[in-house]
Amino acid sequence: MSIIYNKKIIILGSILCLVLGGLFFGLSKSSQGFDVPDIDVPDIGDIDVGNIDIGDIDIGDVPDVDVDVDVDFDVDVDYGGDISIEAIMGLLNDYYANADQLADMQFAINESGVGFSFVDINGVTQYCVNGSNEYAMVEEFINRNGNGNGNGNGGGNGGGGPGDPPIIVPDIPVVPDIIIPPAPTVDLKAGGADSVTIDYNASVNLTWTSTNASSCIASGSWSGNKGAAGTQSTGTLTSSRTYTITCMGTGSAVDSVTVQVNPPVNNPPTVSNLQVSMGDYCSSPVHYLSWTYSDPEGDSQDRFRLQIDNNSDFESLEIDRNINSSANSQAILVMDPMISGTIGYNDVYYWRIRVYDDQGGSSNWVQGSSFSTEKHRYPAISFSWSPQNPSEGEEVRFTDQSTVYGGASKTAWNWIFVNADPPTSEDQNPVIEFTSQGNNAVTLSVTDSDNYTCPSPVTVGVQESLPWWKEIIPW
Ligand SMILES: [Ca+2]
Ligand SMILES: [Ca+2]
Ligand SMILES: [Ca+2]
């Protein structure tokens, strides 16, 4: 039978069967009585498994630990990529290949694509290994391997060299130390402290630092993504706030800080520019008191307190007004006789004012200039005339009925007649004629001996002129 071996097949067969044969040899030689020649096991060279660094293992103070290591791995033997046989380590342990393993080897041989499915031993085509003829197989292959390369295609491939390529066991990758990063930390402070109280409408800087964190997120009274460290102002605050920050790394860390805000500080209002003016004693005897209110915060005037006393010590008040109002002036009525809430004639009055804002703040008392009331009431003007409904051109008699007060006497009269003859008079009780019909104004001013003068305008209706009568002597 002609059997064509090529180098690849020889190599395959050599390795496969040397492995198997080497393992089987010790057993089969003696048990089966074969004379087994020396077996030349190829040098597979150093096996570099690289560095395996698993770092320090601190298992603390514990009882003895019995560690079983069960290593199970496959080794690919690759001959230039042409043929690949997966050696099954179980084969080495068992010394014998079971049927599945043989099938795997056969399959690998078949898959090599070289058409070599069987090993020819002693002229009989056999399976590579099948029980009783392991030795024959091994011998055959050793024989063939011994001169196989030279005999076969080794020379043809140029250079030849050793029949068996080295078995290359790949480096076992270095297992780096397993470093578990520590958990992150974060510290958030306000104004450099873990708690802070600030004034109303003030602000404070939030500062955070972290370790082992890649990013942070704000929550609570602020929001948004933050860096692993930073500073940010709260902006002006009018109420307390709580700021929280969560920083992420291997796990997360949270810190919060509360910023307390004091109640607003209220600055009191001020009152100034106190002024007094006298009203018209003829129509209504009053004195006007006024002031200017102002407040640092712009608070409005909530109320005021006005005190008037004819004694400078303000201990026997004539007026004490406590009024919820933003008004900035008051009219003080002068009466004779005085009643409650008024002041009297012929006296000197002292006054002071205090204002309050709507935040509970108040000014100090501020005193205005004192003022004097007139000696007595002004003249009360009154007059009559006759006839009551005069005609144009008819004589009309006006009679002064005015009243003066305080013991004063009337000292002057000033009449003004519209559409009349005469148009004016300084008599107390003048007689005039109206020169046109209709409503004609008459004004009397009376001055008393204290030189107080009040006018009083009146309208007098004037009729058409009377018909002219001529007395006829009866006949
Ligand atoms: Ca903190
Ligand atoms: Ca205020
Ligand atoms: Ca008094």
Side-chain angles (χ1 to χ4, degrees):
M1 176 176 289
S2 172
I3 300 174
I4 300 174
Y5 294 97
N6 63 25
K7 182 182 179 182
K8 293 174 182 176
I9 293 170
I10 292 169
I11 293 170
L12 164 66
S14 298
I15 292 301
L16 175 62
C17 295
L18 282 172
V19 170
L20 293 173
L23 292 171
F24 298 156
F25 178 74
L27 294 177
S28 55
K29 176 182 178 183
S30 58
S31 60
Q32 297 185 14
F34 293 109
D35 182 13
V36 180
D38 292 340
I39 297 173
D40 183 12
V41 178
D43 182 1
I44 62 173
D46 293 337
I47 297 176
D48 181 5
V49 298
N51 294 318
I52 300 176
D53 183 0
I54 60 172
D56 294 336
I57 298 176
D58 182 3
I59 59 175
D61 184 13
V62 298
D64 290 342
V65 177
D66 182 14
V67 179
D68 287 332
V69 179
D70 184 9
V71 179
D72 183 12
F73 57 93
D74 294 339
V75 177
D76 287 333
V77 181
D78 188 352
Y79 299 143
D82 291 332
I83 299 171
S84 179
I85 295 175
E86 185 176 36
I88 300 167
M89 294 308 293
L91 182 65
L92 302 177
N93 294 331
D94 295 340
Y95 289 90
Y96 291 95
N98 60 31
D100 286 342
Q101 292 163 345
L102 290 172
D104 286 342
M105 287 184 284
Q106 186 61 55
F107 178 78
I109 293 170
N110 290 337
E111 287 298 299
S112 67
V114 299
F116 180 73
S117 300
F118 302 96
V119 177
D120 186 284
I121 299 174
N122 297 327
V124 178
T125 299
Q126 300 288 346
Y127 287 103
C128 181
V129 176
N130 67 347
S132 62
N133 52 1
E134 297 94 341
Y135 165 71
M137 175 206 69
V138 171
E139 182 181 40
E140 177 68 16
F141 274 88
I142 288 174
N143 290 337
R144 294 183 182 277
N145 189 46
N147 58 9
N149 292 322
N151 182 31
N153 302 320
N157 285 339
D164 300 316
I167 296 174
I168 300 172
V169 179
D171 285 348
I172 296 174
V174 173
V175 179
D177 289 343
I178 297 175
I179 300 172
I180 299 175
T185 66
V186 62
D187 184 17
L188 175 62
K189 292 184 184 302
D194 287 326
S195 65
V196 69
T197 300
I198 63 173
D199 287 337
Y200 189 86
N201 260 341
S203 64
V204 67
N205 276 340
L206 302 171
T207 302
W208 65 100
T209 56
S210 65
T211 62
N212 308 307
S214 55
S215 64
C216 303
I217 294 178
S219 60
S221 296
W222 61 342
S223 64
N225 295 322
K226 306 296 179 187
T231 297
Q232 180 175 329
S233 172
T234 60
T236 57
L237 298 181
T238 57
S239 62
S240 295
R241 297 279 190 276
T242 296
Y243 301 87
T244 299
I245 193 164
T246 303
C247 293
M248 280 71 68
T250 303
S252 63
V254 181
D255 195 19
S256 295
V257 67
T258 297
V259 179
Q260 302 283 351
V261 177
N262 284 323
V265 174
N266 181 39
N267 292 294
T270 58
V271 62
S272 61
N273 193 30
L274 277 63
Q275 293 189 348
V276 182
S277 63
M278 193 176 77
D280 183 354
Y281 267 59
C282 293
S283 58
S284 177
V286 295
H287 288 256
Y288 297 103
L289 310 181
S290 66
W291 59 92
T292 298
Y293 168 95
S294 65
D295 184 90
E297 291 85 20
D299 301 328
S300 59
Q301 176 181 292
D302 187 56
R303 64 187 175 100
F304 63 86
R305 192 166 183 182
L306 173 65
Q307 293 181 335
I308 302 175
D309 195 348
N310 57 356
N311 306 94
S312 61
D313 58 6
F314 292 96
E315 290 185 353
S316 58
L317 299 174
E318 272 59 56
I319 288 178
D320 186 4
R321 293 183 181 176
N322 190 1
I323 298 179
N324 294 320
S325 170
S326 60
N328 62 352
S329 68
Q330 288 283 287
I332 308 301
L333 186 61
V334 183
M335 287 192 71
D336 177 20
M338 280 177 59
I339 62 172
S340 174
T342 68
I343 57 177
Y345 284 90
N346 197 30
D347 211 345
V348 176
Y349 286 96
Y350 305 89
W351 69 288
R352 62 184 185 180
I353 184 84
R354 187 176 191 179
V355 293
Y356 299 78
D357 66 18
D358 56 10
Q359 303 298 318
S362 65
S363 71
N364 294 320
W365 284 108
V366 177
Q367 191 168 336
S369 298
S370 61
F371 61 95
S372 298
T373 52
E374 299 288 65
K375 291 179 182 177
H376 51 75
R377 290 176 63 180
Y378 274 35
I381 308 304
S382 178
F383 60 86
S384 65
W385 62 93
S386 179
Q388 192 65 37
N389 298 300
S391 297
E392 179 183 349
E394 186 179 10
E395 281 193 348
V396 183
R397 175 173 296 273
F398 285 85
T399 302
D400 168 37
Q401 297 177 325
S402 300
T403 303
V404 294
Y405 300 92
S409 60
K410 299 178 184 177
T411 56
W413 297 262
N414 185 16
W415 296 89
I416 299 174
F417 303 104
V418 176
N419 298 322
D421 181 20
T424 64
S425 174
E426 294 183 352
D427 294 340
Q428 182 175 13
N429 301 307
V431 176
I432 60 101
E433 294 178 5
F434 288 102
T435 58
S436 71
Q437 62 179 6
N439 293 324
N440 295 310
V442 177
T443 300
L444 168 62
S445 295
V446 176
T447 303
D448 68 14
S449 54
D450 288 316
N451 209 30
Y452 297 159
T453 298
C454 287
S456 178
V458 172
T459 297
V460 177
V462 179
Q463 303 173 8
E464 285 185 66
S465 61
L466 292 173
W468 183 81
W469 295 92
K470 183 177 181 180
E471 190 173 356
I472 299 174
I473 300 172
W475 67 89

